[in-house]
Amino acid sequence: MAKRNQNIAKLQSGYLFPEIARRKREFMQRNPSAKLISLGIGDTTEPLTPAIVRGLSGEVSGLASTKGYTGYGEEQGMPELRRAIAQKLYGGIVPEDEVFVSDGAKPDTGRLQILFGPGRKIAVQDPSYPVYVDSSVMMGNTGAFDAGSGQFHGMQYLRCVPENDFFPNLGKAGSPDIIFFCSPNNPTGAAATKEQLRQLVDFARRKKSIIIFDAAYSQFIRDSKLPKSIFEIDGAKEVAIEVNSFSKPIGFTGVRLGWTIVPEKLKFDDGTSVRKDWNRIMTTVFNGASNVAQHGALAALSDKGLAEMENMVSYYMENAAIIKKALSGLGYETYGGDNAPYIWVKFNSGSWEAFESILEKAHIVTTPGVGFGPSGEGFVRFSAFGHRENIIEAVERLKKHLQENSKK
Ligand code: PLP
């Protein structure tokens, strides 16, 4: 038999969400009549909106006719969609030929590992979206910072906690090849300021690192002073790639449509173009995003579509405000929830303990913070993706359960 990829064997006890699903299944076996509410996994719940549905179904109808049928499209995406993304979402600060349309930010994150290959020094925010660490491990980009020698051997966790305003101390960040940075952040809900991103870009320029900036939640930023893209920062085009997605702002988690921006100015140490290599990868292992999904995305960028997107985001952000207000009212330290659909809450116990207790007593599924990295220990992530009535009921249960808990 063929040998197993030993990098996969190195992955720690499975991916976080399957573990939560396993515990949830066990709970349901023990409590078959329980009515669970999930504030856990960040999946969207609200139906697709009219203008976007018209875009999707118009393309489906077209495909049903000889005249309208299309097969493979351009691997980089439909030119009019690349243009619309560049103009409507980035106000023209990135040119359309640097926009690569894809089937989502997560698959692009995986393909970025192919771009950089094994043996790279990786830095990630701690806590962070688990895909950065796990895909790096799969590629063989594993290792640890050796505090004794001060040497950097592989992956490094950049501590992001309330004490540092969820922005890492870059003075301790060594010289990584690749820095994964997500803002607004999943799971902490922290949205970096312009000044913070300026520090990050300056750091990357000094250290000759490349930033993979995950902006999957940029549409949830409510504070107009906060940057929505790394490319709002001067000098970022020489050091950053941005991944982004329609999954959360328009409910495309199942439809699938994302994009990655690779600036022409970004070069490897030998002077070759990163964009050219990315194009080579996309034309080799990716055959273009679904034409139906691309037409849905194009409709989302029409005036009507943009208004619908704004309503959808506002709905989830109202959910976030409801959850945050309730937990803060109970005296919990809460973070995020203002410019991101996640509320990051400090508990006096370990994360899994808090998770289990909320599951057992309130029948609510959350996400244990430690699953996102060691600095997430003691925190629980609450997601604002849910139907309003479920959010209201969940909040009532939490109030009851957490009040009972605090009396003990
Ligand atoms: N990036 C972050 C930070 C996420 O939280 C998620 C999904 O939860 C994704 C990317 C996945 O995006 P997509 O659905 O476009 O693959």
Side-chain angles (χ1 to χ4, degrees):
M1 272 310 213
K3 286 200 172 59
R4 184 178 184 199
N5 176 351
Q6 284 309 304
N7 293 327
I8 308 249
K10 282 186 208 155
L11 288 170
Q12 284 183 350
S13 66
Y15 185 64
L16 171 64
F17 294 108
E19 174 59 20
I20 293 172
R22 190 187 64 75
R23 291 183 186 225
K24 197 170 123 184
R25 263 196 316 278
E26 273 183 18
F27 171 83
M28 286 309 291
Q29 275 159 9
R30 279 182 280 113
N31 306 275
S33 59
K35 184 175 170 280
L36 274 186
I37 298 178
S38 178
L39 302 181
I41 190 162
D43 200 358
T44 46
T45 56
E46 299 313 294
L48 298 175
T49 51
I52 297 170
V53 170
R54 272 198 299 281
L56 292 164
S57 55
E59 175 62 4
V60 172
S61 305
L63 289 172
S65 70
T66 310
K67 193 161 164 276
Y69 180 77
T70 56
Y72 292 126
E74 292 178 38
E75 287 101 337
Q76 301 85 353
M78 283 166 21
E80 57 270 51
L81 178 58
R82 300 175 81 188
R83 194 172 317 127
I85 290 172
Q87 289 174 359
K88 300 282 179 68
L89 295 180
Y90 291 90
I93 61 170
V94 296
E96 62 198 71
D97 62 356
E98 295 180 357
V99 178
F100 290 79
V101 175
S102 76
D103 53 349
K106 188 182 195 173
D108 273 352
T109 304
R111 287 184 287 259
L112 282 166
Q113 295 288 349
I114 306 177
L115 178 70
F116 295 110
R120 301 289 162 261
K121 293 180 286 185
I122 306 282
V124 292
Q125 286 158 299
D126 171 25
S128 67
Y129 181 50
V131 177
Y132 313 140
V133 169
D134 285 3
S135 63
S136 298
V137 172
M138 286 175 180
M139 183 47 78
N141 288 320
T142 328
F145 182 67
D146 180 351
S149 67
Q151 291 294 303
F152 184 75
H153 304 292
M155 207 173 304
Q156 188 182 8
Y157 287 75
L158 305 175
R159 192 170 149 77
C160 294
V161 288
E163 292 70 40
N164 61 13
D165 192 22
F166 297 100
F167 188 76
N169 179 350
L170 294 170
K172 290 189 179 168
S175 300
D177 295 311
I178 309 296
I179 309 166
F180 284 98
F181 197 95
C182 176
S183 177
N185 186 268
N186 174 13
T188 64
T193 63
K194 232 174 199 156
E195 181 45 36
Q196 288 172 333
L197 290 190
R198 207 168 285 138
Q199 285 178 34
L200 182 68
V201 167
D202 287 349
F203 173 81
R205 293 177 71 90
R206 266 198 323 278
K207 302 288 181 155
K208 304 195 182 314
S209 318
I210 292 181
I211 302 163
I212 312 276
F213 189 77
D214 188 338
Y217 297 97
S218 57
Q219 295 304 319
F220 292 79
I221 292 179
R222 309 280 86 186
D223 179 345
S224 59
K225 289 194 293 300
L226 295 173
K228 285 188 172 171
S229 165
I230 189 76
F231 299 121
E232 291 178 40
I233 310 301
D234 285 344
K237 286 191 176 172
E238 283 94 5
V239 290
I241 289 173
E242 178 164 310
V243 295
N244 210 323
S245 170
F246 270 147
S247 281
K248 309 301 163 104
I250 58 169
F252 267 27
T253 50
V255 176
R256 310 300 306 147
L257 201 287
W259 63 93
T260 287
I261 293 170
V262 188
E264 185 50 49
K265 285 185 182 163
L266 184 64
K267 308 285 182 210
F268 288 111
D269 65 348
D270 64 359
T272 57
S273 161
V274 176
R275 184 185 169 283
K276 205 164 155 230
D277 281 6
W278 182 246
N279 190 58
R280 184 74 170 84
I281 290 169
M282 293 303 272
T283 53
T284 304
V285 300
F286 184 62
N287 239 347
S290 142
N291 41 14
V292 177
Q294 291 194 71
H295 277 89
L298 203 51
L301 294 170
S302 67
D303 289 348
K304 279 201 175 117
L306 286 167
E308 290 174 2
M309 185 184 324
E310 179 52 30
N311 282 343
M312 179 82 89
V313 167
S314 296
Y315 179 89
Y316 290 128
M317 291 308 288
E318 281 161 28
N319 285 350
I322 293 169
I323 299 168
K324 186 167 168 125
K325 184 166 171 239
L327 288 162
S328 311
L330 289 167
Y332 283 86
E333 262 177 58
T334 61
Y335 302 93
D338 299 322
N339 295 289
Y342 298 118
I343 301 102
W344 188 239
V345 184
K346 179 87 182 79
F347 280 76
N348 290 327
S349 60
S351 295
W352 277 110
E353 211 180 307
F355 166 89
E356 286 286 353
S357 158
I358 298 167
L359 178 63
E360 291 295 330
K361 305 222 178 84
H363 299 181
I364 292 171
V365 181
T366 55
T367 314
V370 70
F372 297 97
S375 299
E377 181 57 295
F379 289 88
V380 168
R381 188 195 75 173
F382 290 78
S383 162
F385 293 110
H387 301 311
R388 181 64 46 79
E389 63 272 23
N390 286 343
I391 299 290
I392 289 169
E393 167 147 13
V395 157
E396 289 311 313
R397 290 192 205 167
L398 285 169
K399 281 183 184 161
K400 189 161 170 276
H401 162 59
L402 296 178
Q403 263 160 4
E404 273 171 13
N405 252 17
S406 62
K407 279 183 217 139
K408 283 181 192 162

